[in-house]
Amino acid sequence: MTIKILPARLANQIAAGEVVERPASVVKELVENSLDSGATRIDIDIEKGGAKLIRVRDNGKGIVKDELGLALSRHATSKIHTLDDLEAIISLGFRGEALASISSVARLTMTSRPATQEQAWSAYTEGRDMEVKLQPTAHPIGTTVEVLDLFFNTPARRKFLRTEKTEFTHIDELLKRIALSRFDVTINLRHNGKLVKQYRAAKTEIQAEKRIAAVCGNPFVRNMLKIELEHQGLKLHGWITTPEGARQQSDLQYCYVNGRMMRDKLINHAIRQSYENSLRPDQFATYVLFIEIDPHQVDVNVHPAKHEVRFHQARLVHDFIYQALSDALAQSAHIDKPEVNASAFHVQDEPQVTPTPPQDEPQVPVVPERVYQAVEQTPLYPGKAGYSESRDAVREATPRNEWQESRPAPSKLKAPERYGEPAPTKREVKAYQELLKTPEISSQSSAQVAPCEIVNEPSQPQVVESLGKAISMAQGRYLVMGDKAGTRLVNLAKAEWLRVNGQLSTRDGNLKCQPLLVPLSLKLESECLQAAQQLEPLLMSFGIELKPRGHHALMVMSVPQPLRQQNLQQLVPDLLSYAASCLAAQQTLEPIQLANWLSDRITQVKSDYTLSEAIQIIADIEQLWQGQLPLSDQTFVRPVDFSATIAALEL
């Protein structure tokens, strides 16, 4: 057999075997091209399930006349040019095979007009060598691709097409996934001349919820939890549902990596593992999740249809997703069952409702053995034995995050059980609280026995060497912790400050700059501009990059991760004003001083924490401070002396 070069049409038809599986594959390639072109409106017209007509029109940038014919050539693309571009792909398409492959198995006509051109041009291919012919036409700014008679010249492929209804269902499902990935784009779908679906661009959170409801249904919206978490360039955001929103099939599972639709085994395993204690084997989780990662840390060119990716730090990504979803589900459980987190210490003027035991039961609270076992089995924190290394990696420099419930939970919503054993009853919880609660002392014995109090006498200081395990919340702002050495009370407001301060610490090197998507321009006084110039090395060590703009303004180019969500238009001028005052007083501004000032300004404290949130904060600061927590700081942690209470019980 002799070796020959394949004709252009045959080579493209072979490539079409991977690119064009069915009409939905054509729609996917064309809509992704429209999104890459910056379109904000896409209209899709389908006839006969896509076998007769597929027309995709957008209002994107368009293609100039000189490149219109080249666009239909194989391996022609504007999205990558060098090997470096291939290693950091940010577009949805990049191989340059779609249009050439589609045109080899259908009658394709592409019409386009960029804003720089007054005349639109139309291109189509014909003949064995697939020569492109151009002709002028009328068309608004944007591009229209029309695909007629799919597989007309490959009858072997055409006979494998399903019914019109089945093929259109695949197209409809595909556009649902695309609609969830781009809330800023209007998408209209017509079938046989009838408007079937219309997804309007969402500019507000309410509009986004309407689009989610249109795709996933109202039960999903009623049970969904909003997630937003970031860790050193790895960001996870989107929506998951509580176990009440689970389904009997996996039809509401949408995941995206850098905006690309994905069905990755690693991601699916992490999500499934986070729900393993909450769902029955016949139930499936529902979610809409977006993973954003440095393009250099992910390879999207590992699957012919680009359905899977390969992460350079696969274990970190897996554990990050698992931990984020597990924490969100755990917190939702605490929100649904507040009695489990009831504080062992109460404000005296707050009303306390105690469940009344039945008449035939003794009034003395009985503490079950498994309550004591639960205290002993409380998980440790990073740096202690028994804590997984993978969690250490994820906890490193984890920024502040919040879980927000998008809709109010039903008043009688049953929370999922987080452990194999049944959840403790109210009597068991109350008995457990009594282990830590100071009993009321009669007036006769009050003169002999002092009430339980925090040890703060300078004559008998107690050194706190470690925090121990989390036990319970006190008044929503303090965490009760303890071990064999004793019990401590941790101020979560101070712990929040320590977390932010640890993220801003430059002990281990400069903070990483994170460029702003749109640089911020600020008009400042001359003193602030001079301070920015004199302290440029110090600010750069904190990841704050400022560039002068004219004589009275500067541009904020980059900030560190802890400042990303702050109001920089107010924070940066205040920072430079503070720096200018230090320079005017001839004071040296040290990194620690600047970190403390920033921590004071950006630390946000809640009035009521759940136990899950408190554990998250303690895990973060223990990892960030690496054994150097200020345990001697009595505004952060104080030991609790139960000797008076014990003496009262022994009377």
Side-chain angles (χ1 to χ4, degrees):
M1 298 179 64
T2 58
I3 299 176
K4 297 181 180 179
I5 296 178
L6 293 175
R9 181 176 292 275
L10 181 57
N12 288 337
Q13 287 176 340
I14 294 173
E18 292 184 351
V19 176
V20 185
E21 179 184 359
R22 62 194 330 148
S25 306
V26 177
V27 176
K28 173 182 179 295
E29 298 293 342
L30 299 182
V31 172
E32 285 184 348
N33 281 344
S34 297
L35 293 175
D36 285 337
S37 70
T40 58
R41 176 183 175 130
I42 303 175
D43 296 294
I44 302 104
D45 290 284
I46 306 296
E47 291 185 13
K48 301 295 183 182
K52 181 179 180 182
L53 169 68
I54 299 174
R55 183 189 299 116
V56 177
R57 171 175 290 184
D58 64 60
N59 62 348
K61 297 178 181 178
I63 306 173
V64 298
K65 175 187 175 183
D66 296 338
E67 297 178 358
L68 197 58
L70 187 61
L72 298 180
S73 303
R74 193 179 180 195
H75 302 311
T77 179
S78 62
K79 301 169 186 178
I80 62 171
H81 299 91
T82 65
L83 181 61
D84 293 336
D85 296 334
L86 187 62
E87 293 177 353
I89 296 173
I90 57 176
S91 59
L92 298 176
F94 54 88
R95 294 176 187 164
E97 294 181 340
L99 293 177
S101 299
I102 295 170
S103 65
S104 68
V105 294
R107 295 184 173 93
L108 183 145
T109 303
M110 183 166 63
T111 306
S112 186
R113 179 197 162 195
T116 57
Q117 244 176 232
E118 295 182 359
Q119 177 70 54
W121 289 84
S122 179
Y124 64 97
T125 60
E126 64 177 20
R128 174 173 292 180
D129 296 330
M130 301 186 67
E131 296 179 358
V132 180
K133 292 190 176 181
L134 300 177
Q135 61 182 20
T137 186
H139 192 278
I141 295 175
T143 303
T144 298
V145 180
E146 188 175 83
V147 179
L148 295 171
D149 301 327
L150 187 63
F151 298 133
F152 79 98
N153 56 355
T154 52
R157 295 290 302 277
R158 189 177 183 89
K159 70 180 182 180
F160 282 101
L161 291 179
R162 302 300 181 185
T163 63
E164 175 182 334
K165 180 180 179 181
T166 300
E167 296 298 344
F168 181 76
T169 301
H170 283 281
I171 295 174
D172 186 26
E173 177 61 28
L174 167 77
L175 292 177
K176 286 181 179 179
R177 300 181 69 88
I178 295 177
L180 288 176
S181 69
R182 293 294 300 270
F183 287 90
D184 59 325
V185 178
T186 298
I187 300 176
N188 299 317
L189 173 62
R190 292 180 175 83
H191 188 214
N192 295 332
K194 181 181 179 181
L195 182 63
V196 178
K197 291 290 177 64
Q198 185 176 32
Y199 302 106
R200 299 180 183 274
K203 298 180 181 179
T204 65
E205 187 172 349
I206 295 178
Q207 293 174 343
E209 287 188 2
K210 288 182 178 179
R211 177 173 286 199
I212 295 173
V215 175
C216 303
N218 290 323
F220 182 96
V221 176
R222 284 197 298 268
N223 294 290
M224 71 183 184
L225 302 171
K226 187 176 181 181
I227 288 182
E228 187 169 356
L229 187 67
E230 188 171 355
H231 164 67
Q232 290 188 342
L234 180 60
K235 184 177 181 181
L236 176 68
H237 62 98
W239 299 267
I240 64 172
T241 62
T242 59
E244 288 73 20
R247 293 174 62 85
Q248 302 301 317
Q249 63 272 1
S250 59
D251 58 337
L252 291 184
Q253 296 182 342
Y254 301 101
C255 186
Y256 306 86
V257 177
N258 289 347
R260 186 184 302 277
M261 295 181 292
M262 203 57 56
R263 293 186 180 274
D264 187 75
K265 296 178 181 178
L266 175 80
I267 298 173
N268 290 342
H269 181 270
I271 297 173
R272 195 164 54 246
Q273 190 176 10
S274 64
Y275 275 93
E276 64 181 353
N277 293 329
S278 305
L279 301 180
R280 300 191 305 270
D282 61 336
Q283 289 183 310
F284 293 87
T286 55
Y287 51 83
V288 179
L289 291 176
F290 303 89
I291 301 170
E292 296 180 13
I293 189 172
D294 183 357
H296 292 89
Q297 298 296 318
V298 60
D299 186 1
V300 301
N301 193 25
V302 296
H303 190 278
K306 294 175 281 194
H307 289 322
E308 296 181 6
V309 295
R310 181 179 294 124
F311 297 100
H312 292 302
Q313 300 184 54
R315 185 64 187 177
L316 175 63
V317 174
H318 178 280
D319 292 348
F320 177 73
I321 297 172
Y322 166 74
Q323 191 61 52
L325 269 61
S326 298
D327 287 351
L329 292 171
Q331 180 171 331
S332 70
H334 289 302
I335 292 174
D336 295 336
K337 299 182 70 174
E339 65 271 13
V340 176
N341 280 338
S343 173
F345 298 81
H346 302 279
V347 180
Q348 294 182 359
D349 58 352
E350 289 183 351
Q352 301 180 23
V353 181
T354 304
T356 304
Q359 295 292 333
D360 56 348
E361 293 187 9
Q363 298 294 327
V364 180
V366 180
V367 183
E369 180 64 26
R370 63 187 182 89
V371 174
Y372 291 103
Q373 295 176 359
V375 177
E376 294 298 326
Q377 294 173 1
T378 304
L380 300 176
Y381 297 103
K384 308 290 192 304
Y387 204 87
S388 64
E389 295 180 359
S390 61
R391 182 155 180 167
D392 285 345
V394 175
R395 293 298 189 197
E396 183 178 358
T398 306
R400 175 179 178 83
N401 63 84
E402 290 188 1
W403 309 110
Q404 299 175 352
E405 221 173 336
S406 298
R407 295 289 177 129
S411 58
K412 296 185 179 180
L413 191 63
K414 184 178 180 181
E417 296 181 1
R418 295 288 297 165
Y419 305 96
E421 61 177 355
T425 64
K426 292 184 178 180
R427 290 193 65 228
E428 292 171 349
V429 173
K430 177 174 175 56
Y432 171 50
Q433 295 169 4
E434 292 295 336
L435 293 175
L436 299 175
K437 183 177 178 181
T438 303
E440 295 181 1
I441 303 176
S442 62
S443 58
Q444 296 178 357
S445 60
S446 60
Q448 301 175 0
V449 183
C452 170
E453 59 183 8
I454 303 297
V455 176
N456 56 2
E457 298 179 5
S459 58
Q460 297 179 351
Q462 291 189 12
V463 179
V464 177
E465 297 182 353
S466 64
L467 295 178
K469 302 176 184 178
I471 299 176
S472 178
M473 292 297 301
Q475 299 183 6
R477 294 172 295 166
Y478 305 96
L479 177 62
V480 182
M481 306 185 71
D483 53 20
K484 294 181 180 180
T487 307
R488 295 110 196 166
L489 203 61
V490 177
N491 183 1
L492 293 179
K494 183 67 174 182
E496 286 274 29
W497 187 92
L498 290 173
R499 177 161 64 175
V500 175
N501 194 258
Q503 294 169 0
L504 292 170
S505 173
T506 57
R507 293 188 301 267
D508 300 327
N510 295 345
L511 300 183
K512 183 178 179 181
C513 295
Q514 293 195 1
L516 299 180
L517 185 61
V518 178
L520 177 64
S521 177
L522 297 174
K523 290 185 178 180
L524 300 170
E525 298 179 356
S526 58
E527 293 82 2
C528 294
L529 295 175
Q530 293 175 4
Q533 183 178 4
Q534 295 182 29
L535 299 177
E536 182 180 2
L538 176 62
L539 296 176
M540 284 298 297
S541 68
F542 278 83
I544 303 174
E545 182 182 0
L546 307 176
K547 288 188 176 180
R549 182 184 180 185
H551 299 289
H552 303 286
L554 55 76
M555 300 288 291
V556 183
M557 308 301 295
S558 303
V559 294
Q561 189 280 326
L563 304 185
R564 290 282 294 183
Q565 304 300 324
Q566 302 300 319
N567 183 4
L568 298 179
Q569 197 163 4
Q570 179 179 353
L571 180 63
V572 174
D574 289 349
L575 170 61
L576 295 179
S577 178
Y578 168 70
S581 63
C582 292
L583 294 176
Q586 297 182 352
Q587 298 178 359
T588 303
L589 188 58
E590 299 293 338
I592 296 179
Q593 184 180 355
L594 181 57
N596 292 343
W597 186 90
L598 288 171
S599 301
D600 292 338
R601 294 300 301 267
I602 70 175
T603 299
Q604 298 178 0
V605 180
K606 298 174 62 176
S607 60
D608 188 21
Y609 289 89
T610 65
L611 182 61
S612 177
E613 291 173 327
I615 292 175
Q616 169 86 35
I617 295 172
I618 300 300
D620 290 345
I621 61 176
E622 287 193 336
Q623 183 63 35
L624 287 167
W625 286 80
Q626 296 292 331
Q628 299 181 8
L629 277 173
L631 300 180
S632 60
D633 185 357
Q634 293 191 355
T635 64
F636 169 51
V637 57
R638 289 195 179 193
V640 180
D641 186 4
F642 285 99
S643 58
T645 304
I646 296 173
L649 293 174
E650 292 177 349
L651 291 177

